[in-house]
Amino acid sequence: MNRINNLFKKKNGKILSVYFTAGYPDLDDTLTIIRELDRSGVDMVEIGMPFSDPVADGPVIQRSSEIALKNGMNINLLFNQLAKIREVTDMPLILMGYINPVFRYGMENFLEKCNETGIDGTIIPDLPPDVYMESYEPLYVKHDIINVFLVTPQSSVERIKYLDQISKGFIYVVSTAKTTGGINSFNQSHTDYFRKLDNLKLKSPRLVGFGISDRTTYNQVCEYSDGAIIGSAFIRSLEGTGSLPENINRFIQTIR
Amino acid sequence: MNKTFISDSKGYYGQYGGAYIPEMLRENVESLRAVYYDIIESEEFKKEFSMLLTDYAGRPSPLFFAGRLSNKYGAKIYLKREDLNHTGSHKINNTIGQILLAKKMGKKRIIAETGAGQHGAATATVCALMGMECVVYMGELDMARQEPNVKRMEMLGASVVPATCGNKTLKDATNEALRDWICNPENTFYIIGSVVGPHPYPDLVTKFQSVISEELLSQLMAKEGTEDPDYIIACVGGGSNAAGIFYKYIDRKKVKLIGVEAAGKGVETDETAATITVGETGIIHGSKTLLMQNEDGQITEPYSISAGLDYPGVGPLHAWLAGTGRASYLNATDNEALDAAYELTRLEGIIPALESAHALAALGKLKLKPADIVVVNISGRGDKDMQAYANANR
């Protein structure tokens, strides 16, 4: 069974998934970050493949991506860094990034390499679900990789049900109409939206992302979902004064 | 003969086009896609659009026989004078169309990206006309090199927001506009300035710009007794003025369509914006097209002296026309464009925009015969480029 499905099946409590940009702060921090996230009790990790033009991202991830690229990160190098990752952790691992570098790498090669490395899923925001269904679903199935779809506050119920139906893992609930890291608290309209999704009784579990930065926002979204995804706030924490492991552990402890 | 829509229902021109957008933009784009065709094909819309093009923008733009330029190149050269439109370029054709669409869709706030500032100024203009809020994203570098246009936009009541990422040019301004649209999905209409972006934008903008070739058919008939020139030449950044003047001629195979990209310091250098020459297939700003990228699929920074051509992608229509061989794409360097601008100015008393100067620079690269009828699209006027022209010191 894919590790993503396994996690949602076995976990009793809420799930915490953390995003970081590979190649940031330093080119070779990838394994250290994953290891420390595992140690600090995180359930799942999204490894960001940096892109030159991240249109869905706010300033924090724009900057980490820019630095990661300057440091020399690319998909090939990332797979090399991750070659022995399954000796390090059993957590589900997801590669997240934009479609152009993946197309350039070659979708078939990419998914084959994901499988070989022990990657469980992908999140590619600008790969539209209809293109995925038309062209890539069989390849994903063949290599046992799960593609994660996003829903937003603007998504119609019909659209949400469609995405739920084609989803094989979990649904990424974008909390708000913002780029990543764009807000730091939730109001009534956010919770109404989270509740609406909860009441739809979808078959897929839901993780909420965008704007979860601390214990309060984490607990808020967990009330209406299966857990949360933290990205920008985590990346900001890496700039703390301690060592990389210290900064990571300190941050995760402030969440749960 | 006169096809109106050349992409398929999902916005593909052959393998190029489509809508590669994150889910955060889907409802925005989908709600536009669902209504645009019916709105712009309605009699009410056509009437209002046509009235504004005539009474406000000053159309039709003249077709001018450039006698001294013709002597120089040994062919009959006509200039399609888009520079004489209100706001000084072809961009107004598109912004009038899109703001009418925005109004019909009940949107109150307009955003736009701009490179040279021509599209930004044309957007700010129609926003003033319609009493709508206007935010224009412009690369910080472009704000410096096209300062008169920044002042114009501000006088027209627009907020000009600098894009400070990347090279601080058109690509970065487009990223910022897309981010704004993600953050303001309910009340905001994004007026894209070229035949780029996710479907339906390339189709929509091509349609609004097609008035250029529509007029050319009858203007050339009146002057030469034929609708068909031998050559049509236009500059290509994203490619909207070229799409507009090519459009009605795409099925008229004997008319040679020539796009001219900005070579910058040369296509063999890293400082170029000649996407069709040096680019490869990929996804940029929601569209599958040719783009300048490195081996890892990272979009590379373009370079051109012309802020309006300084873009690492190209409209999917042009990628398709290049791929099928229906149009040919040449390129001109900064210096060739500057020479061509001075030449037109001295021979005909017309100072073209730096963008349009690239189209003129192609005249010397074609093997023209005396009987050849050549139409060059003068997409804009050169007032905004006086600093660059003065520095060139020809």
Side-chain angles (χ1 to χ4, degrees):
Chain A
M1 184 187 278
N2 185 296
R3 289 178 200 87
I4 296 172
N5 298 127
N6 205 31
L7 173 66
F8 283 99
K9 199 174 158 206
K10 284 168 73 179
K11 176 94 182 180
N12 284 319
K14 300 297 177 180
I15 285 167
L16 173 59
S17 182
V18 169
Y19 167 93
F20 75 98
T21 307
Y24 176 86
D26 289 314
L27 186 60
D28 296 323
D29 287 336
T30 311
L31 291 196
T32 311
I33 293 174
I34 295 171
R35 189 184 301 117
E36 290 306 321
L37 286 171
D38 194 359
R39 277 188 194 152
S40 63
V42 161
D43 303 298
M44 182 159 66
V45 174
E46 295 166 22
I47 306 164
M49 304 176 284
F51 181 49
S52 54
D53 295 79
V55 292
D57 285 300
V60 173
I61 295 177
Q62 285 176 42
R63 185 166 162 274
S64 65
S65 302
E66 200 177 327
I67 293 171
L69 289 173
K70 269 192 196 132
N71 288 342
M73 183 48 71
N74 61 47
I75 293 179
N76 227 350
L77 178 61
L78 181 58
F79 278 129
N80 288 342
Q81 290 181 343
L82 294 173
K84 296 199 168 140
I85 193 65
R86 285 305 168 198
E87 296 172 11
V88 175
T89 180
D90 292 325
M91 285 187 299
L93 297 174
I94 293 175
L95 291 186
M96 180 164 187
Y98 291 81
I99 190 64
N100 197 54
V102 175
F103 272 170
R104 185 76 188 184
Y105 193 88
M107 191 58 108
E108 172 118 51
N109 286 344
F110 178 75
L111 293 172
E112 201 178 300
K113 201 75 187 169
C114 282
N115 175 291
E116 202 181 296
T117 310
I119 297 295
D120 307 288
T122 65
I123 305 175
I124 306 177
D126 56 347
L127 173 64
D130 63 314
V131 176
Y132 162 84
M133 288 303 284
E134 271 167 31
S135 309
Y136 302 114
E137 196 205 16
L139 279 180
Y140 270 83
V141 171
K142 178 177 162 195
H143 296 290
D144 191 25
I145 307 296
I146 289 173
N147 190 36
V148 176
F149 301 103
L150 283 64
V151 306
T152 78
Q154 277 68 43
S155 302
S156 64
V157 169
E158 188 193 357
R159 178 74 175 170
I160 294 166
K161 287 186 170 164
Y162 168 72
L163 294 172
D164 179 46
Q165 185 211 319
I166 64 171
S167 173
K168 293 184 162 69
F170 66 94
I171 286 179
Y172 190 133
V173 177
V174 176
S175 69
T176 186
K178 286 276 180 289
T179 52
T180 51
I183 52 164
N184 46 33
S185 67
F186 295 119
N187 59 28
Q188 183 71 40
S189 72
H190 294 114
T191 48
D192 286 350
Y193 158 61
F194 300 147
R195 193 178 293 117
K196 174 184 110 177
L197 287 172
D198 206 19
N199 290 338
L200 285 176
K201 305 291 172 214
L202 304 176
K203 75 171 174 62
S204 316
R206 284 161 288 118
L207 297 185
V208 181
F210 286 45
I212 292 95
S213 57
D214 54 17
R215 195 185 304 261
T216 309
T217 44
Y218 174 75
N219 287 335
Q220 254 180 317
V221 302
C222 281
E223 208 178 309
Y224 308 99
S225 67
D226 301 280
I229 301 163
I230 300 184
S232 296
F234 175 71
I235 289 170
R236 263 197 312 268
S237 79
L238 300 180
E239 289 162 8
T241 50
S243 68
L244 195 56
E246 283 165 7
N247 289 337
I248 291 170
N249 281 292
R250 195 179 303 137
F251 179 79
I252 299 303
Q253 277 164 26
T254 66
I255 304 298
R256 67 174 194 191
Chain B
M1 195 67 155
N2 292 335
K3 265 195 193 171
T4 31
F5 292 83
I6 45 183
S7 59
D8 70 15
S9 62
K10 288 184 171 174
Y12 282 93
Y13 303 83
Q15 62 159 315
Y16 301 110
Y20 292 79
I21 45 167
E23 197 67 17
M24 293 78 106
L25 284 173
R26 185 176 186 276
E27 290 303 315
N28 300 8
V29 171
E30 180 56 24
S31 61
L32 175 62
R33 191 204 59 77
V35 301
Y36 87 103
Y37 187 93
D38 289 342
I39 293 179
I40 69 179
E41 289 296 297
S42 73
E43 284 312 310
E44 186 196 349
F45 183 94
K46 283 181 179 169
K47 208 173 138 195
E48 201 174 357
F49 182 49
S50 163
M51 181 275 286
L52 285 172
L53 286 180
T54 307
D55 297 346
Y56 188 69
R59 302 204 70 91
S61 69
L63 183 68
F64 173 68
F65 177 69
R68 297 185 69 206
L69 196 67
S70 294
N71 284 343
K72 162 99 201 238
Y73 287 101
K76 290 195 251 184
I77 300 174
Y78 285 88
L79 307 177
K80 182 63 174 156
R81 299 289 310 276
E82 292 299 302
D83 59 313
L84 292 178
N85 294 335
H86 180 41
T87 75
S89 80
H90 70 292
K91 295 292 188 187
I92 191 80
N93 306 330
N94 172 45
T95 60
I96 290 175
Q98 287 201 50
I99 202 146
L100 291 177
L101 195 46
K103 248 178 63 178
K104 287 275 182 298
M105 291 177 70
K107 303 288 181 177
K108 305 279 182 242
R109 178 175 176 269
I110 300 294
I111 57 171
E113 86 296 336
T114 196
Q118 294 299 87
H119 172 61
T123 304
T125 297
V126 295
C127 286
L129 178 69
M130 299 294 175
M132 293 217 217
E133 184 188 347
C134 181
V135 178
V136 178
Y137 291 91
M138 186 168 189
E140 209 170 36
L141 174 69
D142 291 341
M143 287 179 74
R145 61 178 165 169
Q146 308 275 221
E147 208 209 344
N149 272 341
V150 177
K151 294 278 181 284
R152 282 168 78 198
M153 288 184 271
E154 287 172 349
M155 182 170 174
L156 287 158
S159 317
V160 183
V161 181
T164 57
C165 284
N167 250 21
K168 306 174 176 60
T169 60
L170 180 53
K171 176 191 76 153
D172 314 293
T174 309
N175 289 341
E176 289 306 326
L178 287 168
R179 288 182 187 122
D180 181 305
W181 211 21
I182 286 174
C183 297
N184 297 285
E186 306 291 344
N187 66 343
T188 297
F189 189 99
Y190 180 14
I191 299 191
I192 292 187
S194 192
V195 288
V196 301
H199 176 62
Y201 279 104
D203 189 37
L204 190 61
V205 178
T206 301
K207 189 74 170 54
F208 291 144
Q209 292 294 357
S210 69
V211 65
I212 305 172
S213 47
E214 181 75 55
E215 290 172 2
L216 182 56
L217 291 167
S218 55
Q219 288 173 320
L220 205 60
M221 177 55 88
K223 290 188 193 314
E224 290 286 343
T226 173
E227 291 179 335
D228 297 341
D230 296 285
Y231 293 89
I232 296 176
I233 307 175
C235 66
V236 176
S240 71
N241 87 84
I245 199 164
F246 288 176
Y247 192 66
K248 296 282 177 183
Y249 290 95
I250 289 171
D251 289 337
R252 297 170 176 238
K253 300 281 162 63
K254 72 185 194 61
V255 179
K256 298 181 195 70
L257 307 176
I258 312 283
V260 187
E261 296 192 297
K265 293 184 178 165
V267 290
E268 70 290 350
T269 72
D270 288 337
E271 292 178 281
T272 182
T275 305
I276 290 174
T277 306
V278 304
E280 286 169 270
T281 302
I283 308 287
I284 183 171
H285 297 142
S287 184
K288 187 181 223 180
T289 186
L290 294 169
L291 61 109
M292 292 170 50
Q293 54 184 318
N294 69 14
E295 59 191 10
D296 300 325
Q298 306 296 340
I299 297 171
T300 54
E301 301 292 353
Y303 164 80
S304 166
I305 191 175
S306 150
L309 303 181
D310 201 353
Y311 183 69
V314 67
L317 166 68
H318 293 293
W320 175 68
L321 290 174
T324 59
R326 175 62 193 99
S328 309
Y329 293 84
L330 311 177
N331 52 76
T333 63
D334 290 355
N335 278 327
E336 288 170 332
L338 288 166
D339 288 341
Y342 268 82
E343 181 176 83
L344 184 73
T345 303
R346 301 275 161 87
L347 288 177
E348 303 288 352
I350 296 169
I351 301 178
L354 262 172
E355 290 75 24
S356 324
H358 286 75
L360 291 160
L363 287 169
K365 298 171 191 269
L366 299 171
K367 292 198 177 84
L368 299 176
K369 299 189 294 285
D372 284 343
I373 301 170
V374 181
V375 177
V376 183
N377 203 22
I378 305 299
S379 55
R381 66 180 181 226
D383 308 35
K384 68 186 178 60
D385 298 310
M386 284 319 299
Q387 195 59 50
Y389 288 149
N391 292 345
N393 197 24
R394 290 295 195 272

